[in-house]
Amino acid sequence: MKRLIMSTTFLILTLLSLEIGAMSEVGLSSLFSGDEMARFIFLHSRLPRTLAVILAAAGLSVAGLIMQSISRNKFMSPTTAGTTDAAALGLLISFVFLGHMSGYIQAIFAFIFALAGTLLFTAVINRLKIREVVYIPLLGMMYGGVLGAVATTIAFQFEAQQVLNQFNMGTFARLGNFDLVYVVIAPLVVAVIYATRFSIIGLGEDFAKNLGLNYNRVVMVGLVIVSLISASTFVAVGPLPFVGLIIPNMATSFYGDNLKKSIFDLMMFGAVFVLACDIASRLIIFPFEMNVSVTISLVGGVIFMVYLIRGMYGGKKSRKAA
């Protein structure tokens, strides 16, 4: 029943996303009537945009759940581990030294920095052995703030502040230029193949090794998937805050922690959330639109605070019981 409701909601929001646009006279009805202008707009603007929303949301949702499985921490995500901020730094470095290169070159720089930044943060957290799970996202945000400060310093030094601001603007108003989002498909396929292994390492390193799993290899595959998804979506549409953090928590509340069984439900859940935020961003000041990152931040921030407070309360309750 849950899947039927989610599938129906996903279909409705997808059709709404295709229907809404600055040219209100162009809609699905005009497309089916054979209008050439409507056909052009759908093929070059609305359809690529809707596919980009779905793929970016699905990718970041899976990336968030993989990070949470690897770290066994429900508050880990690309935005709370410095992955997104490291990708932004890599993108800025590529611009400073290479200028306006193709999106794929930019994505390579963003991927390398995202992977290196995530590995560094993971290594530091593992050494600190922090017991309070709610401290992890706070440290991650501090770490991301440091990376952001480095990026800002470099931008000031090379007079690239406007470019950095543009990089940090999450929007799907890219006039159909979403080629890099399709890169997400490959890591998503690998994530589906490795889903069972990610679920196993979420039970702990010793448990995974007792089952004959190469723990370090699976962790590295997971971090590569996370970094590749984060880099490609960041270069294509900018940051989509909280998606990789709150969607896995909300989806596991509905479907459980078995990644193998719920990974497609997770993708659909994330797509529904971002589609709804994107549609709201386009309707609030229609025919203009807000950046979708603003809408996601407003909604996601509230949901994150609820989970954070709940996690802090749960931690205190468990200590009292002990």
Side-chain angles (χ1 to χ4, degrees):
M1 187 63 181
K2 293 178 181 178
R3 287 176 178 169
L4 178 61
I5 294 173
M6 189 59 61
S7 300
T8 304
T9 305
F10 171 73
L11 180 60
I12 292 172
L13 290 175
T14 300
L15 293 175
L16 280 174
S17 179
L18 292 171
E19 181 73 23
I20 298 170
M23 297 182 66
S24 55
E25 66 274 13
V26 175
L28 293 172
S29 57
S30 56
L31 175 66
F32 294 136
S33 66
D35 188 333
E36 284 300 318
M37 178 60 74
R39 179 174 174 274
F40 179 84
I41 290 174
F42 270 88
L43 289 180
H44 292 85
S45 179
R46 296 189 187 177
L47 183 60
R49 178 187 182 125
T50 302
L51 289 175
V53 173
I54 293 170
L55 286 174
L60 289 173
S61 299
V62 171
L65 189 56
I66 290 173
M67 289 198 75
Q68 291 175 12
S69 296
I70 290 173
S71 62
R72 288 185 290 164
N73 188 312
K74 289 295 184 181
F75 296 109
M76 283 286 279
S77 76
T79 52
T80 57
T83 307
T84 303
D85 299 282
L89 179 59
L91 189 55
L92 178 65
I93 293 294
S94 72
F95 173 80
V96 168
F97 290 101
L98 300 178
H100 289 284
M101 300 298 293
S102 69
Y104 291 98
I105 299 297
Q106 293 177 336
I108 291 172
F109 271 82
F111 167 70
I112 293 172
F113 274 76
L115 181 59
T118 307
L119 286 171
L120 176 60
F121 181 73
T122 304
V124 171
I125 291 301
N126 288 338
R127 281 184 174 274
L128 292 177
K129 298 185 183 300
I130 299 173
R131 295 181 61 187
E132 294 286 350
V133 295
V134 294
Y135 291 157
I136 302 297
L138 300 179
L139 287 175
M141 290 176 183
M142 292 169 59
Y143 174 61
V146 172
L147 293 176
V150 172
T152 302
T153 302
I154 295 174
F156 270 108
Q157 185 69 29
F158 292 92
E159 298 182 354
Q161 302 96 314
Q162 188 173 355
V163 174
L164 181 61
N165 291 335
Q166 185 179 356
F167 289 160
N168 288 317
M169 186 182 299
T171 177
F172 290 102
R174 301 291 176 115
L175 299 177
N177 186 22
F178 296 111
D179 293 348
L180 276 171
V181 178
Y182 303 124
V183 175
V184 171
I185 295 175
L188 282 179
V189 171
V190 178
V192 171
I193 296 172
Y194 271 74
T196 300
R197 278 165 273 196
F198 290 140
S199 295
I200 292 173
I201 64 172
L203 299 174
E205 183 176 356
D206 293 336
F207 185 85
K209 288 182 176 179
N210 288 337
L211 291 178
L213 205 65
N214 190 325
Y215 181 84
N216 292 328
R217 180 192 299 171
V218 175
V219 169
M220 181 55 66
V221 169
L223 293 180
V224 169
I225 290 173
V226 170
S227 300
L228 187 55
I229 290 174
S230 301
S232 58
T233 55
F234 187 89
V235 174
V237 300
L240 300 178
F242 296 110
V243 175
L245 175 61
I246 63 173
I247 297 302
N249 282 285
M250 295 172 69
T252 51
S253 299
F254 277 87
Y255 304 110
D257 292 317
N258 191 326
L259 184 57
K260 183 70 173 178
K261 291 183 178 179
S262 63
I263 188 166
F264 291 106
D265 298 306
L266 172 72
M267 294 181 195
M268 192 177 299
F269 205 108
V272 166
F273 176 77
V274 179
L275 277 169
C277 290
D278 183 52
I279 290 170
S281 299
R282 295 153 76 179
L283 292 178
I284 289 174
I285 52 175
F286 186 84
F288 306 102
E289 67 175 89
M290 293 173 55
N291 293 328
V292 69
S293 58
V294 176
T295 309
I296 293 176
S297 295
L298 290 173
V299 179
V302 173
I303 298 173
F304 172 62
M305 287 303 298
V306 171
Y307 276 101
L308 188 62
I309 293 170
R310 188 181 294 178
M312 293 177 66
Y313 177 76
K316 291 179 180 178
K317 197 171 181 180
S318 61
R319 286 200 304 273
K320 286 180 180 179

